[in-house]
Amino acid sequence: MEPPDARAGARGASRLLVLTLLLGAQPGAKAEVRLSVPPLVEVMRGDPVTLDCTPSGTYDYFMLEWFLADRSGIRHRLASAELQGSKLQDKVHDSRGRSPPYQLDSRGRLVLAEAQVGDERDYVCVVRAGAAGTAEATARLIVFAKPEDTEVTPNKGILSVMEDTAQEIATCNSRNGNPAPQIMWYRNGQRLEVPMEMNSEGYMTSRTVREASGLQSLTSTLYLRLRKADRDASFHCSAHYRLPTGQHGRLDSPAFHLTLHYPTEHVQFWVGSPSTTAGWVREGDSVQLFCQGDGSPSPEYTFFHLQDKQEVVLKTNLEGNLTLAGVQRSQSGTYGCRVEDYDAAEDAELSKTRELHVAYLDPLELSIGEELSLPLGNSTAVNCSVQGLPTPTLRWTKDSAPLGNDPTLSLRSITFDSAGTYVCEAFMPTVPLLSRTRSFKLLVQGPPELRAEETKPKAEGSWMEGDEVRLTCYARGYPEPKLSWSQLGGSPAEPAPGEQGWVSSSLTLKVTSALSRDGVSCAASNPHGHDQHVFHFGTVAPQTSQAGVAVMAVAVSVGLLLIVVAAFYCMRRKGHPGCCRRGEKGSPPPREPELSHSGSERPEQTGLLMGGASGGARRGSGGFGDEC
């Protein structure tokens, strides 16, 4: 907001400028000098300022002077400039202690380096142009300064909501601004519309101080009548300040909360450890009881146990919690919590109670021991009993398969499949993780039951001497049967993987004709009986000698080769009448064939291999004739 004297000075300067112009426009008037001076100049502190005073028109001579008008209206000449010819001669007469001093530029404008708050004055420009007349105008200078960050100091004490008058909430400070800022207060982000006049519901006070630097600081204090709803409220203040050209700025303080004193109106009481909705807790667990009132500061809490309608105090503290370590079934009953708040209203409910039920489950009892041995085909009944609260549920299982929910388990006409471990489980659906189990092992006595893993025979007659085969026998019974083989090499009996109650033994051997005739047997026996199984292989072919096969193959190959050679020879000699006759003179007698010492072929075979031309030559020379 502008100071009143600033607005008045600006209006006066404007009127003076208009009057000067009107006088200059009237016919016959001597004052014809016209000035161009801005009536209001706004700058930020520290910025340079240039105040313009430019005469309009052309003059051979004029004198320009700058004056500083103080608050009493007295003018102090600061500087002057005289136009002589085409050059302006300027001079600074009095800087009034300003640093740096005033200056005039080449156009006669007044220059203020680094605007200061003390520069906020009216500056008067007077121009005398001789016969043309005299004119003057005033420029009002406003210097703005942004204040420092807004600071708030909240009341650190405990404020009571029971007070019926406004209490001091906080003090807000905005320092070193210009003009003086405005301070506003906020609760949960909403502006508080509080007056400056004192009243019981709320108000604020303000104080402005002008610092030695000329800047202004503002202090505001807020007073409010508090309610219980203010216990979680967030408060802060903000400084709103002005800037040149009508702009505004805002600096918010940090938010703060108040510490309030208010009486208890409601009490909550609950079990902090795991429990059911019905209030059941497990025997042996540690149980935590929590009590909380909505008063502040935290009141004192008293825990008690109702026994025969009498309160037995268990603990008193400011934390509002009670731990029952290793709670027992005898500790079931009614527990209570009471808030000791003497500021509370008479009709406030300051005490709460709740039922605590301790669930327990005793060990299970079976009508038999941990092991039961019965003959094959017998029947029996096993009873499972339990004590607990709330009433537990029973369930029988065998190998995780359910058998029933009755306390008595009936087993009729038992078989070897009936053998195994039976489990009785007691649990409470309303109390998670509270359960117990008890089990017994059933042993079924009887002669062995034998099962063989049959060999998969090849096609009829495809078993051959030396083929390897693996035979396996399985047996069960009680006592555990012994397995034996009619051949040596059987493995020791071991529990069969994945088959409860069964043992197995394996035998690996080579198939022979004797085994084909007699078979291979495995036997199982225990004190109650004996069982046997015989493995058969059918027809077993003898093993063929590999050397005889090779010789036969070579003989067949040689015979085929000779047949091919003979056929080729006869085809070559076809159509010659002397083929296959005795030779002419000089031919050796057929009964005495002539062989080479090296064991080579006969001559006629050689001739055959050498071709027909060779044979003709031999005939002409008295050699052998054509022969077959």
Side-chain angles (χ1 to χ4, degrees), residues 413-452:
S413 301
I414 61 176
T415 65
F416 284 131
D417 289 329
S418 303
T421 300
Y422 292 80
V423 178
C424 176
E425 180 186 11
F427 61 96
M428 297 176 178
T430 58
V431 185
L433 304 180
L434 185 58
S435 63
R436 290 184 183 271
T437 60
R438 188 77 180 269
S439 64
F440 72 92
K441 186 175 183 180
L442 175 62
L443 305 174
V444 180
Q445 299 179 4
E449 180 180 317
L450 188 63
R451 174 169 61 87

Side-chain angles (χ1 to χ4, degrees), residues 364-367 382-386 394 396 407-408 424-425 438:
L364 304 181
E365 294 183 2
L366 296 180
S367 59
V382 181
N383 187 61
C384 180
S385 59
V386 64
L394 291 176
W396 282 98
T408 301
C424 176
E425 180 186 11
R438 188 77 180 269

Side-chain angles (χ1 to χ4, degrees), residues 317-334:
N317 60 28
L318 295 175
E319 292 75 27
N321 64 73
L322 171 66
T323 300
L324 303 176
V327 66
Q328 300 299 311
R329 64 190 70 176
S330 60
Q331 292 177 274
S332 294
T334 303

